[in-house]
Amino acid sequence: MLLSEFDYFLPEELIAQHPCEPRDHSRLLVLDKNTGAISHNRFFDLLQYLNAGDTLVFNNTRVIPARLIGTKAETGGKVEVFLLNRKTENDWEALVKPGKKARPGATIIFSDRLSCEILESTDFGGRIVRFRYEGIFEEILDELGETPLPPYITEQLADKERYQTVYAHERGSAAAPTAGLHFTTDLMKRIEEKGIHLAFVTLHVGLGTFRPVNTDNITDHVMHREYYSVLPEAAELINRTKREGGRIIAVGTTAIRTLETATTNGILESKSGWTEIFIYPGYTFKIVDAAITNFHLPKSTLLMLISALAGQKKVFAAYKEAVEQKYKFFSFGDAMLII
Protein backbone atom coordinates (compact mmCIF):
# COMPACT_ATOMS: atom_id res chain seq x y z
CA MET A 1 0.00 0.00 0.00
CA LEU A 2 1.28 3.42 -0.95
CA LEU A 3 1.40 6.36 1.42
CA SER A 4 -0.29 8.51 -1.24
CA GLU A 5 -3.44 6.36 -0.90
CA PHE A 6 -4.00 7.84 2.57
CA ASP A 7 -3.92 11.48 1.56
CA TYR A 8 -6.93 13.79 1.44
CA PHE A 9 -7.64 17.50 1.03
CA LEU A 10 -8.41 19.45 4.19
CA PRO A 11 -9.06 23.22 4.18
CA GLU A 12 -6.92 24.87 6.84
CA GLU A 13 -9.92 26.57 8.42
CA LEU A 14 -11.29 23.15 9.45
CA ILE A 15 -8.33 22.50 11.78
CA ALA A 16 -9.75 23.13 15.26
CA GLN A 17 -7.82 25.67 17.31
CA HIS A 18 -10.00 25.54 20.41
CA PRO A 19 -11.74 22.70 22.26
CA CYS A 20 -15.52 22.59 22.18
CA GLU A 21 -17.41 23.87 25.22
CA PRO A 22 -18.99 21.97 26.84
CA ARG A 23 -16.84 18.98 25.98
CA ASP A 24 -19.71 16.72 24.91
CA HIS A 25 -21.28 19.28 22.55
CA SER A 26 -18.82 18.52 19.74
CA ARG A 27 -20.26 16.99 16.58
CA LEU A 28 -20.33 13.22 16.11
CA LEU A 29 -20.23 11.51 12.74
CA VAL A 30 -21.42 7.91 12.99
CA LEU A 31 -20.10 5.45 10.40
CA ASP A 32 -21.57 1.96 10.03
CA LYS A 33 -18.51 -0.09 9.13
CA ASN A 34 -20.65 -2.82 7.54
CA THR A 35 -22.88 -0.72 5.27
CA GLY A 36 -20.97 2.57 5.03
CA ALA A 37 -24.06 4.47 6.19
CA ILE A 38 -23.31 7.86 7.75
CA SER A 39 -25.33 9.91 10.22
CA HIS A 40 -24.68 13.22 11.96
CA ASN A 41 -25.17 13.87 15.66
CA ARG A 42 -23.76 15.60 18.72
CA PHE A 43 -21.42 13.76 21.03
CA PHE A 44 -23.98 13.70 23.85
CA ASP A 45 -26.13 11.57 21.51
CA LEU A 46 -23.58 8.75 21.89
CA LEU A 47 -25.82 6.86 24.32
CA GLN A 48 -28.31 5.93 21.62
CA TYR A 49 -25.62 3.87 19.86
CA LEU A 50 -24.51 1.96 22.97
CA ASN A 51 -26.19 -1.14 24.37
CA ALA A 52 -26.38 -2.46 27.91
CA GLY A 53 -23.59 -4.99 28.26
CA ASP A 54 -21.15 -3.12 26.00
CA THR A 55 -17.82 -1.96 27.43
CA LEU A 56 -16.15 1.33 26.60
CA VAL A 57 -12.36 1.16 26.97
CA PHE A 58 -10.52 4.39 27.81
CA ASN A 59 -6.82 5.26 27.88
CA ASN A 60 -6.27 6.91 31.26
CA THR A 61 -2.82 8.34 30.53
CA ARG A 62 -2.13 11.89 31.71
CA VAL A 63 -0.08 14.38 29.71
CA ILE A 64 3.02 15.63 31.46
CA PRO A 65 4.56 19.09 30.85
CA ALA A 66 6.99 17.39 28.50
CA ARG A 67 8.57 20.40 26.77
CA LEU A 68 11.59 21.94 28.51
CA ILE A 69 13.46 24.98 27.23
CA GLY A 70 17.08 25.34 28.31
CA THR A 71 20.49 26.52 27.23
CA LYS A 72 23.59 24.60 26.27
CA ALA A 73 26.14 24.98 29.06
CA GLU A 74 29.10 25.40 26.70
CA THR A 75 27.65 28.02 24.36
CA GLY A 76 24.47 29.44 25.90
CA GLY A 77 22.51 28.45 22.80
CA LYS A 78 18.79 27.77 23.21
CA VAL A 79 17.79 24.08 23.26
CA GLU A 80 14.38 22.40 23.47
CA VAL A 81 14.07 18.98 25.13
CA PHE A 82 10.81 17.10 24.50
CA LEU A 83 10.36 14.14 26.86
CA LEU A 84 9.04 10.91 25.34
CA ASN A 85 9.63 7.85 27.54
CA ARG A 86 11.07 7.43 31.01
CA LYS A 87 13.80 4.79 30.92
CA THR A 88 14.95 4.85 34.57
CA GLU A 89 14.41 7.19 37.49
CA ASN A 90 16.66 9.87 35.95
CA ASP A 91 17.06 8.80 32.29
CA TRP A 92 14.59 9.73 29.58
CA GLU A 93 14.23 9.23 25.86
CA ALA A 94 13.67 12.66 24.33
CA LEU A 95 13.66 14.70 21.16
CA VAL A 96 16.15 17.55 21.25
CA LYS A 97 16.13 20.60 18.97
CA PRO A 98 18.39 21.64 17.39
CA GLY A 99 19.96 18.21 17.17
CA LYS A 100 23.42 19.52 16.28
CA LYS A 101 23.65 21.01 19.77
CA ALA A 102 22.74 17.69 21.37
CA ARG A 103 25.78 15.51 20.89
CA PRO A 104 26.69 12.98 23.62
CA GLY A 105 28.43 14.71 26.50
CA ALA A 106 26.63 18.04 26.08
CA THR A 107 24.95 19.54 29.14
CA ILE A 108 21.69 21.51 28.97
CA ILE A 109 20.70 23.80 31.85
CA PHE A 110 17.04 24.57 32.55
CA SER A 111 17.38 26.27 35.95
CA ASP A 112 19.64 26.29 38.97
CA ARG A 113 17.80 23.13 40.10
CA LEU A 114 17.55 21.17 36.85
CA SER A 115 19.95 20.17 34.08
CA CYS A 116 20.53 17.16 31.85
CA GLU A 117 23.40 15.48 30.05
CA ILE A 118 23.07 13.96 26.58
CA LEU A 119 24.10 10.32 26.92
CA GLU A 120 23.53 8.85 23.46
CA SER A 121 21.56 9.05 20.22
CA THR A 122 18.66 6.70 19.41
CA ASP A 123 17.60 4.93 16.24
CA PHE A 124 14.74 7.36 15.69
CA GLY A 125 16.77 10.55 15.81
CA GLY A 126 16.13 11.10 19.50
CA ARG A 127 18.45 11.23 22.49
CA ILE A 128 18.82 9.53 25.84
CA VAL A 129 19.25 12.23 28.50
CA ARG A 130 20.13 11.97 32.20
CA PHE A 131 18.65 14.58 34.53
CA ARG A 132 20.34 16.09 37.55
CA TYR A 133 18.12 18.00 39.96
CA GLU A 134 17.62 19.21 43.48
CA GLY A 135 14.27 18.24 44.99
CA ILE A 136 11.43 16.15 43.51
CA PHE A 137 11.70 15.75 39.73
CA GLU A 138 7.92 15.74 39.09
CA GLU A 139 7.46 18.99 41.02
CA ILE A 140 10.31 20.67 39.14
CA LEU A 141 8.90 19.44 35.82
CA ASP A 142 5.46 20.84 36.69
CA GLU A 143 7.11 24.17 37.45
CA LEU A 144 9.43 24.46 34.45
CA GLY A 145 7.85 22.30 31.76
CA GLU A 146 5.24 23.27 29.20
CA THR A 147 2.28 21.14 28.16
CA PRO A 148 3.01 20.28 24.52
CA LEU A 149 0.26 21.07 22.03
CA PRO A 150 0.40 19.76 18.45
CA PRO A 151 2.14 22.15 16.01
CA TYR A 152 -1.05 22.75 14.02
CA ILE A 153 -2.61 24.40 17.09
CA THR A 154 -1.26 27.92 16.89
CA GLU A 155 -3.05 29.55 19.83
CA GLN A 156 -2.37 29.21 23.54
CA LEU A 157 -4.76 27.20 25.70
CA ALA A 158 -6.30 29.22 28.52
CA ASP A 159 -6.98 26.16 30.67
CA LYS A 160 -4.29 23.48 30.48
CA GLU A 161 -6.76 20.87 31.80
CA ARG A 162 -8.66 21.08 28.50
CA TYR A 163 -5.80 19.09 26.97
CA GLN A 164 -6.43 16.36 29.55
CA THR A 165 -9.30 13.90 29.64
CA VAL A 166 -11.54 14.11 32.70
CA TYR A 167 -10.33 10.62 33.69
CA ALA A 168 -6.59 11.23 33.10
CA HIS A 169 -4.69 9.55 35.91
CA GLU A 170 -1.41 7.85 34.97
CA ARG A 171 1.31 10.46 34.31
CA GLY A 172 3.67 9.86 31.42
CA SER A 173 2.17 10.93 28.09
CA ALA A 174 3.68 13.37 25.59
CA ALA A 175 0.27 13.97 23.98
CA ALA A 176 -3.37 13.54 24.93
CA PRO A 177 -5.52 10.60 23.76
CA THR A 178 -7.79 13.12 22.11
CA ALA A 179 -10.84 10.93 21.42
CA GLY A 180 -11.45 11.02 25.16
CA LEU A 181 -11.55 14.82 25.35
CA HIS A 182 -15.25 14.75 24.41
CA PHE A 183 -16.33 12.91 27.56
CA THR A 184 -17.65 14.65 30.67
CA THR A 185 -18.04 13.07 34.10
CA ASP A 186 -21.81 13.47 33.74
CA LEU A 187 -21.88 11.69 30.37
CA MET A 188 -19.79 8.84 31.76
CA LYS A 189 -22.19 8.55 34.69
CA ARG A 190 -25.19 8.36 32.34
CA ILE A 191 -23.40 5.72 30.26
CA GLU A 192 -22.92 3.56 33.36
CA GLU A 193 -26.54 4.08 34.41
CA LYS A 194 -27.60 2.54 31.08
CA GLY A 195 -25.71 -0.65 31.96
CA ILE A 196 -22.63 0.02 29.86
CA HIS A 197 -19.30 -0.82 31.48
CA LEU A 198 -16.25 1.45 31.65
CA ALA A 199 -12.76 -0.04 31.55
CA PHE A 200 -9.42 1.75 31.72
CA VAL A 201 -6.08 0.80 30.20
CA THR A 202 -2.90 2.86 29.84
CA LEU A 203 -0.74 3.74 26.85
CA HIS A 204 1.65 6.65 27.24
CA VAL A 205 1.48 8.47 23.93
CA GLY A 206 4.93 9.03 22.47
CA LEU A 207 6.76 9.18 19.19
CA GLY A 208 5.05 6.04 17.86
CA THR A 209 1.66 7.75 17.74
CA PHE A 210 2.60 11.04 16.13
CA ARG A 211 5.75 10.23 14.14
CA PRO A 212 5.02 10.78 10.42
CA VAL A 213 5.32 8.02 7.85
CA ASN A 214 8.30 8.75 5.60
CA THR A 215 8.24 5.65 3.40
CA ASP A 216 6.40 5.40 0.08
CA ASN A 217 5.25 1.87 0.93
CA ILE A 218 3.52 2.07 4.30
CA THR A 219 4.53 -1.49 5.22
CA ASP A 220 8.14 -0.28 5.38
CA HIS A 221 7.27 2.11 8.22
CA VAL A 222 8.56 1.10 11.66
CA MET A 223 6.60 2.21 14.71
CA HIS A 224 8.42 3.62 17.71
CA ARG A 225 7.66 1.70 20.89
CA GLU A 226 5.32 3.07 23.56
CA TYR A 227 4.62 1.83 27.09
CA TYR A 228 1.24 0.23 27.86
CA SER A 229 -0.42 -1.47 30.80
CA VAL A 230 -3.57 -3.57 31.26
CA LEU A 231 -4.55 -4.23 34.87
CA PRO A 232 -6.31 -7.45 35.94
CA GLU A 233 -9.69 -5.80 36.64
CA ALA A 234 -9.79 -4.29 33.13
CA ALA A 235 -8.84 -7.59 31.47
CA GLU A 236 -11.44 -9.48 33.48
CA LEU A 237 -14.22 -7.01 32.59
CA ILE A 238 -13.37 -6.91 28.89
CA ASN A 239 -13.09 -10.70 28.59
CA ARG A 240 -16.40 -11.14 30.41
CA THR A 241 -18.03 -8.65 28.04
CA LYS A 242 -16.87 -10.67 25.04
CA ARG A 243 -18.07 -13.96 26.58
CA GLU A 244 -21.50 -12.49 27.24
CA GLY A 245 -21.90 -11.07 23.73
CA GLY A 246 -21.25 -7.40 24.45
CA ARG A 247 -19.16 -5.15 22.25
CA ILE A 248 -15.73 -3.75 23.03
CA ILE A 249 -15.75 -0.10 21.99
CA ALA A 250 -12.32 1.49 22.19
CA VAL A 251 -12.09 5.21 22.91
CA GLY A 252 -9.25 6.32 20.67
CA THR A 253 -6.53 4.70 18.60
CA THR A 254 -4.23 4.30 21.61
CA ALA A 255 -6.85 2.20 23.40
CA ILE A 256 -7.21 0.11 20.23
CA ARG A 257 -3.46 -0.47 20.02
CA THR A 258 -3.25 -1.41 23.70
CA LEU A 259 -6.08 -3.93 23.47
CA GLU A 260 -4.81 -5.50 20.25
CA THR A 261 -1.27 -5.74 21.64
CA ALA A 262 -2.34 -7.50 24.83
CA THR A 263 -4.82 -9.95 23.25
CA THR A 264 -3.86 -13.53 22.38
CA ASN A 265 -6.32 -16.03 20.88
CA GLY A 266 -9.21 -13.70 21.62
CA ILE A 267 -8.35 -13.32 25.31
CA LEU A 268 -7.09 -10.03 26.73
CA GLU A 269 -4.16 -10.58 29.09
CA SER A 270 -3.30 -8.51 32.13
CA LYS A 271 0.20 -7.35 31.25
CA SER A 272 2.42 -4.35 30.68
CA GLY A 273 5.33 -3.63 28.40
CA TRP A 274 6.25 -1.86 25.18
CA THR A 275 4.24 -1.98 21.98
CA GLU A 276 5.33 -1.30 18.41
CA ILE A 277 2.09 -2.50 16.85
CA PHE A 278 1.28 -0.90 13.50
CA ILE A 279 -2.29 -1.50 12.34
CA TYR A 280 -3.16 -0.83 8.70
CA PRO A 281 -5.70 -2.24 6.19
CA GLY A 282 -5.55 -6.02 6.04
CA TYR A 283 -5.18 -6.37 9.80
CA THR A 284 -7.58 -8.78 11.53
CA PHE A 285 -8.83 -7.37 14.82
CA LYS A 286 -8.58 -9.69 17.81
CA ILE A 287 -10.91 -8.05 20.33
CA VAL A 288 -12.00 -4.52 19.31
CA ASP A 289 -15.48 -4.29 17.78
CA ALA A 290 -16.01 -0.54 17.44
CA ALA A 291 -14.27 2.74 18.17
CA ILE A 292 -14.67 6.40 19.01
CA THR A 293 -12.01 8.53 17.39
CA ASN A 294 -11.23 12.01 16.13
CA PHE A 295 -10.49 12.96 12.53
CA HIS A 296 -6.83 12.30 11.80
CA LEU A 297 -4.05 13.89 9.78
CA PRO A 298 -3.57 12.86 6.16
CA LYS A 299 -1.02 10.06 5.66
CA SER A 300 -0.90 9.31 9.41
CA THR A 301 -0.68 5.89 11.06
CA LEU A 302 -3.87 6.80 12.93
CA LEU A 303 -5.79 7.21 9.67
CA MET A 304 -4.39 3.87 8.52
CA LEU A 305 -5.58 2.23 11.74
CA ILE A 306 -9.20 3.36 11.42
CA SER A 307 -9.10 2.43 7.73
CA ALA A 308 -8.26 -1.09 8.89
CA LEU A 309 -11.23 -1.08 11.26
CA ALA A 310 -13.90 0.34 8.94
CA GLY A 311 -12.50 -0.14 5.45
CA GLN A 312 -10.44 2.43 3.58
CA LYS A 313 -13.12 3.40 1.05
CA LYS A 314 -15.78 3.86 3.74
CA VAL A 315 -13.46 5.93 5.91
CA PHE A 316 -12.47 8.22 3.05
CA ALA A 317 -16.11 8.64 2.02
CA ALA A 318 -16.87 9.66 5.62
CA TYR A 319 -13.95 12.09 5.66
CA LYS A 320 -15.12 13.64 2.38
CA GLU A 321 -18.58 14.18 3.87
CA ALA A 322 -17.06 15.56 7.08
CA VAL A 323 -15.14 18.13 5.05
CA GLU A 324 -18.29 19.04 3.09
CA GLN A 325 -20.25 19.38 6.34
CA LYS A 326 -17.44 21.48 7.84
CA TYR A 327 -16.60 19.25 10.76
CA LYS A 328 -13.58 20.34 12.80
CA PHE A 329 -10.50 18.14 12.52
CA PHE A 330 -7.60 16.86 14.63
CA SER A 331 -6.94 17.09 18.39
CA PHE A 332 -9.57 19.67 19.38
CA GLY A 333 -11.91 18.72 16.56
CA ASP A 334 -15.12 16.71 16.31
CA ALA A 335 -15.56 12.99 16.84
CA MET A 336 -16.38 9.91 14.82
CA LEU A 337 -18.03 6.69 15.97
CA ILE A 338 -17.20 3.60 13.92
CA ILE A 339 -19.70 0.91 14.82
Side-chain angles (χ1 to χ4, degrees):
M1 277 170 285
L2 298 179
L3 180 60
S4 58
E5 297 176 40
F6 294 90
D7 197 8
Y8 68 91
F9 172 71
L10 179 69
E12 188 174 345
E13 64 268 19
L14 297 186
I15 300 174
Q17 295 296 319
H18 304 282
C20 179
E21 294 293 350
R23 289 175 182 255
D24 61 357
H25 279 53
S26 55
R27 298 170 73 184
L28 177 68
L29 184 150
V30 180
L31 171 64
D32 186 316
K33 65 179 182 177
N34 295 321
T35 67
I38 296 170
S39 60
H40 304 283
N41 305 266
R42 291 287 174 178
F43 197 81
F44 52 71
D45 296 319
L46 177 67
L47 272 169
Q48 66 182 278
Y49 296 97
L50 306 179
N51 302 325
D54 290 342
T55 292
L56 284 173
V57 184
F58 301 85
N59 179 8
N60 65 359
T61 189
R62 183 171 181 83
V63 183
I64 61 172
R67 180 176 286 117
L68 289 163
I69 306 298
T71 57
K72 189 177 178 184
E74 295 82 357
T75 63
K78 184 178 177 181
V79 181
E80 175 185 303
V81 176
F82 187 98
L83 304 181
L84 293 173
N85 296 313
R86 195 170 199 162
K87 309 287 285 183
T88 67
E89 184 177 357
N90 297 324
D91 294 358
W92 285 74
E93 183 179 13
L95 296 176
V96 182
K97 298 180 183 178
K100 64 181 180 180
K101 296 182 180 179
R103 294 188 175 93
T107 296
I108 301 167
I109 299 173
F110 306 102
S111 76
D112 57 358
R113 293 193 297 151
L114 181 67
S115 66
C116 75
E117 178 188 355
I118 307 296
L119 297 183
E120 59 181 284
S121 299
T122 67
D123 294 340
F124 288 85
R127 301 291 188 272
I128 303 298
V129 303
R130 176 165 295 165
F131 283 97
R132 298 185 180 91
Y133 50 91
E134 295 180 10
I136 300 172
F137 179 78
E138 286 75 12
E139 292 180 357
I140 298 171
L141 187 62
D142 286 341
E143 178 185 337
L144 299 178
E146 301 174 6
T147 300
L149 292 178
Y152 48 77
I153 296 176
T154 59
E155 301 180 26
Q156 292 295 316
L157 194 59
D159 178 8
K160 291 182 179 179
E161 283 300 305
R162 281 303 276 110
Y163 194 56
Q164 305 278 10
T165 62
V166 297
Y167 48 83
H169 183 263
E170 301 294 329
R171 286 175 59 106
S173 201
T178 54
L181 295 177
H182 306 281
F183 285 87
T184 65
T185 52
D186 178 68
L187 178 59
M188 294 173 76
K189 181 181 177 182
R190 289 191 289 119
I191 288 171
E192 285 191 292
E193 288 173 348
K194 189 177 176 179
I196 297 141
H197 310 296
L198 309 183
F200 298 89
V201 297
T202 303
L203 183 141
H204 292 320
V205 184
L207 190 60
T209 295
F210 56 80
R211 179 172 175 256
V213 178
N214 293 317
T215 59
D216 290 334
N217 185 336
I218 68 166
T219 59
D220 293 333
H221 178 71
V222 178
M223 294 286 284
H224 190 267
R225 66 179 195 160
E226 295 167 307
Y227 178 82
Y228 75 93
S229 175
V230 179
L231 296 179
E233 54 266 33
E236 181 182 349
L237 172 58
I238 292 165
N239 288 326
R240 186 172 73 246
T241 299
K242 293 293 283 190
R243 288 196 305 270
E244 295 175 354
R247 296 174 299 179
I248 303 303
I249 304 168
V251 179
T253 56
T254 56
I256 294 175
R257 292 177 63 232
T258 302
L259 293 171
E260 292 296 309
T261 296
T263 298
T264 303
N265 297 324
I267 303 298
L268 179 65
E269 302 175 56
S270 172
K271 59 193 300 188
S272 62
W274 298 86
T275 181
E276 298 170 302
I277 191 170
F278 179 22
I279 298 174
Y280 52 85
Y283 178 86
T284 299
F285 285 84
K286 305 171 186 174
I287 198 163
V288 172
D289 299 302
I292 297 165
T293 184
N294 279 19
F295 292 94
H296 302 295
L297 274 72
K299 300 182 179 180
S300 65
T301 60
L302 310 181
L303 181 56
M304 295 167 193
L305 186 156
I306 65 163
S307 294
L309 181 64
Q312 187 176 351
K313 288 184 179 179
K314 292 175 184 140
V315 166
F316 274 76
Y319 269 51
K320 182 175 184 293
E321 183 156 335
V323 170
E324 292 170 352
Q325 296 294 323
K326 299 190 183 305
Y327 275 68
K328 291 294 186 178
F329 280 62
F330 305 162
S331 293
F332 286 147
D334 294 312
M336 181 179 187
L337 171 63
I338 298 171
I339 206 160

